[in-house]
Amino acid sequence: MNIKMLTNKYFLFFKRTILVNSFLLLIFQTAAFSQSLDIKESNGVYIPNINNGNETLTSPQEGLWSIATNWEDGWATNWQHASASEVKELGPWKVVQGSLKLPQGEWELQDAYHLENNRIKCIRRFEWKGEETLEKITLSVRWKVNTKNAQAFLPNILYYGNPSGEKNGKHKVPVFNGKNGELALFEEHRYTMPFAALEWKNGNDYKGAALHTLPSLVQGGNKYDQWWSLGVKVDEAQTELLLLSGPVAYNGKKNKAKALQTESLDYGDTYMTVYPGTVIEKTFYIELFSAPAEGTAFQRPIYTSIDIFKPFYVEDMPTYNDIIEDKYRFAKSRWVENDNYAGFNMYPDFVKPRIVLGWAGQSEALVYALQPLAKRLGEQNKINDMVQRAMDHIATSPIGESGFPVQYEIDGDRWHKLDPVSQGQAMNSIALAIRSGRENPNLKTASWEKFLKKACEISAERILNPNWNPRNTAEAFYIKPLFLTSKLFKEKTFFKAAIKASDYYANRHLSMREPYWGGTLDATCEDKEGAWGAFQGFLTAYELTKDKKYLDYAQHAGDVVLSYTAVWDIPLPAGRMSDHFLKTRGWTGVSPQNQHLDVYGVLITPAIYKLGEYTNNDVLKRIAAVMYRSCGQMIDPWGSQGEQLQNTNFAQRGKMSRISDLRGGYSEDWAVFWITTHFLHAAAQFEEMGVTF
């Protein structure tokens, strides 16, 4: 029996006999249906194609190489095309060569292909042999699939077209609907994982393709800090994966960069100057594959991207112990109290003080986190006192028909504001605090338990109502605390509500017709936090039921979360981050609306680590370590750090009128409290798991 027959036999065996999680299914799909590079000759022209089963990824019909030689009306024009006239085999490499003659001289062109870990690597070479300098040049990499109905997935930018973002305000986010002539093209440094992926249906099967790039500055770029751009384009009956040497476009507008929360800024004239003797090489990877089901094609290229960049090194990052100590020191500086209240202030000194639960305040987070960390921190009595008093105050929040308000005004001595994201997050930490507090004879949890049980009763009743129809993924944050509280109090109703919510959100989001969204309070689009709410809920459902379908769900939502994680170190221009020689690997983007990096991902690291354990995937465990330690890089001597790191041409604070002022900036003054609590919350979970980095 040959290896192909054996692989197919075992694939069918596993498919028939066991429900495997989507990550393993992708592995078997990869083994059973490998892609291949075919170079066909026709009338002296050599045409490379990528084949996978009954699907082909092709170079453009007009030629393998396309170069624009002018720039008119704000865009690259006068495209010239060339095809390969020669092919060579050099060990594992297949090399095709050709040339493009211009009035000023000749371009020598070359693609060198190599099959690497079931993806195809290509080094594309452009060499200008003419004796004149060329101006206003644009280079390209183009690969097409024969469909115009493909869904686009661009990490940190476009999630199957961003349908919710479009519904809630198209001008705020990039949108892609696959319409003829539509173009979504973004700077490489905007990508947390630098690939553009497509998913489409072929008969009864789903297919996927991805173009990965090694990001780079453009040699001879006209703009300061000009990079290659990556994205997708629809042209008649085909969809194209595309790299250009600078031009950007989205939402029907060319030369516009998604630079502000609700606006774009001009970013035109991104052509290049090419001098005699210039050699330019652009490395990219292409893959074409079968997807197990609708909404899953994005998963494989995530792990391909991780494998390309291998972002696992942590020895140049702050230590795990130092981060915990620094964050605890800063947490104590935010402690506020008098006879009426006790807790942790959300804001820096220049903002009116408030105790805020969930989302950006997270005062309740340390009520849990400090308990498992008390021995390590060496202040057991002080921690007991802070935990007791902070949670006792939280339990005074009045619970009504819609739950409990999450914001306490210190000056006005009143609770107000309700939202499901903050409530769900607060309930989760309170449940964990009760679980730990019951083991500590120095803590009294009776009032905490009464508060949490009543909050869960209201949430469970709402979710179990046949008319329950949540607007977005925000209420997924209730799933985990309902599961935890059902176990704490042996309450089947809470469990039933959590199961209903888990199945509901899986049915709603697994197809990615409506990607996870609505997990942040300052954006109304697809986001990391929405996916995170579902991820932790699905993972808890699996832990309590051992039903493999919930592990499938957790893998899916977890991979969406993971796509927001930077897997490469983005070179940064002069600025605060460059001053610190910041490594961006491990930091997470926020959403297609707010495209900066932040430390939010550290909160998710215990779940990523657990997912790695449950799926026997050490890659996830190693990524968790990088995410935690890397995000400690900007901690200052006070233990503080800012919220927004500007890896790309985007900003929310500071000088925001010129696009050249944005990238490399750092907003350190907006040091809201979650930036501290997430480190300690994750560390407490690792402490309970017996894991250190």
Side-chain angles (χ1 to χ4, degrees):
M1 183 179 291
N2 63 38
I3 187 64
K4 185 174 181 180
M5 291 176 62
L6 183 64
T7 304
N8 279 306
K9 176 183 177 182
Y10 279 101
F11 172 75
L12 292 172
F13 169 77
F14 277 100
K15 189 173 181 181
R16 285 195 306 265
T17 60
I18 184 171
L19 176 63
V20 294
N21 65 66
S22 58
F23 177 76
L24 293 179
L25 185 54
L26 283 167
I27 291 176
F28 285 118
Q29 289 274 14
T30 298
F33 303 108
S34 295
Q35 60 193 328
S36 63
L37 170 69
D38 294 329
I39 300 177
K40 297 181 179 180
E41 188 271 339
S42 176
N43 298 321
V45 172
Y46 293 92
I47 305 171
N49 291 314
I50 313 299
N51 296 312
N52 180 281
N54 62 347
E55 196 62 77
T56 302
L57 190 62
T58 64
S59 55
Q61 186 176 6
E62 57 267 28
L64 178 60
W65 299 288
S66 300
I67 299 176
T69 59
N70 203 356
W71 190 275
E72 296 176 353
D73 298 324
W75 198 248
T77 60
N78 195 28
W79 285 93
Q80 307 293 308
H81 311 283
S83 298
S85 57
E86 188 176 356
V87 63
K88 299 177 181 178
E89 291 201 23
L90 305 171
W93 293 89
K94 292 182 179 180
V95 181
V96 293
Q97 296 173 316
S99 62
L100 176 63
K101 292 183 179 180
L102 300 178
Q104 303 93 329
E106 186 175 65
W107 283 96
E108 287 190 359
L109 306 167
Q110 175 181 289
D111 277 7
Y113 299 97
H114 175 38
L115 183 62
E116 177 185 285
N117 294 342
N118 205 42
R119 57 183 175 262
I120 294 170
K121 178 179 181 178
C122 180
I123 303 173
R124 176 160 291 188
R125 179 183 174 96
F126 306 85
E127 183 174 1
W128 175 236
K129 305 294 285 188
E131 296 183 359
E132 294 185 31
T133 297
L134 299 178
E135 299 179 350
K136 299 185 178 181
I137 295 295
T138 303
L139 306 179
S140 69
V141 172
R142 304 168 61 204
W143 290 88
K144 292 176 175 284
V145 295
N146 290 319
T147 181
K148 64 177 181 179
N149 297 314
Q151 294 283 358
F153 183 94
L154 313 182
N156 195 45
I157 302 168
L158 267 173
Y159 287 78
Y160 285 69
N162 290 341
S164 297
E166 180 178 24
K167 179 181 177 181
N168 294 306
K170 179 179 179 179
H171 63 285
K172 298 179 181 179
V173 300
V175 170
F176 185 80
N177 291 306
K179 296 180 180 178
N180 188 35
E182 197 167 4
L183 180 62
L185 196 61
F186 304 90
E187 314 94 309
E188 287 176 322
H189 49 63
R190 195 174 292 269
Y191 288 77
T192 47
M193 296 182 173
F195 70 81
L198 297 172
E199 178 182 307
W200 67 99
K201 193 173 185 181
N202 185 339
N204 294 321
D205 300 323
Y206 287 92
K207 300 290 184 177
L211 173 63
H212 300 260
T213 177
L214 295 187
S216 57
L217 281 159
V218 174
Q219 185 175 348
N222 182 56
K223 287 285 190 180
Y224 164 75
D225 194 36
Q226 181 176 321
W227 286 62
W228 282 72
S229 53
L230 170 66
V232 294
K233 178 184 178 182
V234 180
D235 186 11
E236 296 179 349
Q238 294 182 311
T239 306
E240 187 172 298
L241 294 165
L242 179 65
L243 272 166
L244 293 181
S245 55
V248 298
Y250 78 103
N251 292 7
K253 296 180 180 179
K254 295 178 179 178
N255 303 313
K256 295 287 187 178
K258 168 54 173 133
L260 308 175
Q261 274 190 300
T262 60
E263 300 176 44
S264 60
L265 290 178
D266 291 336
Y267 189 58
D269 297 331
T270 48
Y271 44 80
M272 56 191 296
T273 300
V274 181
Y275 298 95
T278 296
V279 176
I280 297 166
E281 292 186 325
K282 186 62 175 175
T283 300
F284 59 92
Y285 301 82
I286 42 183
E287 55 182 342
L288 176 66
F289 50 90
S290 297
E294 182 181 11
T296 65
F298 75 93
Q299 292 178 275
R300 170 170 159 163
I302 285 173
Y303 292 92
T304 299
S305 189
I306 293 172
D307 190 54
I308 289 170
F309 291 95
K310 297 179 172 59
F312 304 123
Y313 187 67
V314 295
E315 293 306 308
D316 55 350
M317 296 174 179
T319 69
Y320 181 71
N321 288 337
D322 285 348
I323 291 172
I324 294 172
E325 291 177 3
D326 288 344
K327 287 301 182 181
Y328 177 56
R329 183 171 65 257
F330 185 75
K332 289 188 289 186
S333 74
R334 286 288 179 89
W335 178 257
V336 290
E337 63 175 323
N338 73 5
D339 292 339
N340 297 323
Y341 62 82
F344 297 93
N345 181 18
M346 171 177 169
Y347 292 109
D349 292 341
F350 60 85
V351 182
K352 186 178 180 180
R354 297 180 182 91
I355 295 172
V356 180
L357 312 182
W359 201 52
Q362 296 287 328
S363 182
E364 84 294 336
L366 294 195
V367 175
Y368 155 66
L370 293 180
Q371 294 185 61
L373 295 173
K375 184 176 181 181
R376 174 189 288 270
L377 296 171
E379 293 189 345
Q380 184 71 66
N381 291 336
K382 183 178 183 64
I383 286 172
N384 283 343
D385 181 64
M386 287 193 296
V387 166
Q388 185 72 61
R389 296 177 64 196
M391 189 58 229
D392 286 349
H393 176 65
I394 291 168
T396 67
S397 179
I399 302 178
E401 293 181 357
S402 300
F404 55 94
V406 297
Q407 186 163 300
Y408 177 78
E409 298 291 343
I410 288 177
D411 290 347
D413 187 24
R414 66 186 180 95
W415 287 96
H416 67 118
K417 290 192 176 181
L418 295 90
D419 70 83
V421 170
S422 300
Q423 284 191 55
Q425 292 177 353
M427 289 161 62
N428 179 62
S429 291
I430 293 168
L432 293 171
I434 292 169
R435 188 177 69 183
S436 295
R438 284 178 173 181
E439 304 299 318
N440 186 340
N442 295 308
L443 294 177
K444 298 177 182 179
T445 65
S447 65
W448 314 355
E449 296 185 23
K450 181 179 179 181
F451 177 85
L452 179 62
K453 190 173 182 179
K454 185 175 181 181
C456 286
E457 287 171 353
I458 290 171
S459 298
E461 182 180 3
R462 184 181 64 260
I463 291 170
L464 291 173
N465 188 311
N467 295 323
W468 180 63
N469 184 28
R471 179 169 181 250
N472 51 34
T473 327
E475 292 195 44
F477 281 107
Y478 289 118
I479 297 174
K480 184 178 178 181
L482 283 169
F483 273 129
L484 294 178
T485 309
S486 72
K487 192 172 182 179
L488 285 171
F489 299 108
K490 298 180 174 57
E491 176 54 67
K492 294 181 180 180
T493 302
F494 300 161
F495 183 89
K496 185 178 179 181
I499 287 291
K500 179 184 176 181
S502 298
D503 292 337
Y504 169 86
Y505 279 116
N507 291 332
R508 183 167 172 174
H509 296 306
L510 290 182
S511 71
M512 296 294 274
R513 295 180 186 178
E514 182 190 16
Y516 310 91
W517 72 284
T520 62
L521 301 187
D522 61 351
T524 52
C525 64
E526 293 71 11
D527 60 4
K528 170 180 80 265
E529 286 86 336
W532 161 233
F535 175 31
Q536 71 167 359
F538 296 155
L539 196 67
T540 309
Y542 171 70
E543 290 174 333
L544 294 185
T545 67
K546 301 305 178 185
D547 187 334
K548 211 59 174 294
K549 75 175 183 180
Y550 293 114
L551 187 57
D552 288 346
Y553 301 167
Q555 182 77 66
H556 188 272
D559 285 346
V560 174
V561 171
L562 197 61
S563 73
Y564 286 93
T565 303
V567 296
W568 61 295
D569 288 333
I570 304 169
L572 298 160
R576 289 291 308 285
M577 292 192 293
S578 179
D579 290 343
H580 286 264
F581 197 52
L582 180 85
K583 278 73 68 177
T584 59
R585 64 186 186 274
W587 294 73
T588 48
V590 181
S591 71
Q593 182 173 344
N594 298 336
Q595 291 181 6
H596 58 78
L597 298 180
D598 65 14
V599 305
Y600 194 98
V602 298
L603 177 65
I604 303 163
T605 53
I608 292 175
Y609 192 96
K610 285 182 178 181
L611 184 62
E613 285 191 326
Y614 298 148
T615 59
N616 297 313
N617 183 0
D618 284 342
V619 165
L620 293 173
K621 296 180 184 180
R622 297 175 72 186
I623 282 288
V626 173
M627 292 172 70
Y628 191 96
R629 290 184 57 177
S630 181
C631 288
Q633 289 178 84
M634 296 299 288
I635 298 175
D636 66 21
W638 285 263
S640 178
Q641 61 190 139
E643 183 180 26
Q644 299 161 16
L645 280 72
Q646 294 159 214
N647 60 298
T648 192
N649 296 320
F650 176 86
Q652 286 180 244
R653 299 174 69 83
K655 187 177 180 180
M656 299 187 294
S657 58
R658 294 193 309 166
I659 200 162
S660 59
D661 296 331
L662 306 185
R663 203 171 88 82
Y666 172 52
S667 178
E668 73 172 350
D669 60 334
W670 194 242
V672 285
F673 197 48
W674 71 265
I675 301 169
T676 292
T677 65
H678 285 1
F679 284 97
L680 297 173
H681 203 281
Q685 294 176 71
F686 283 125
E687 196 80 12
E688 293 179 325
M689 294 160 59
V691 174
T692 58
F693 301 125

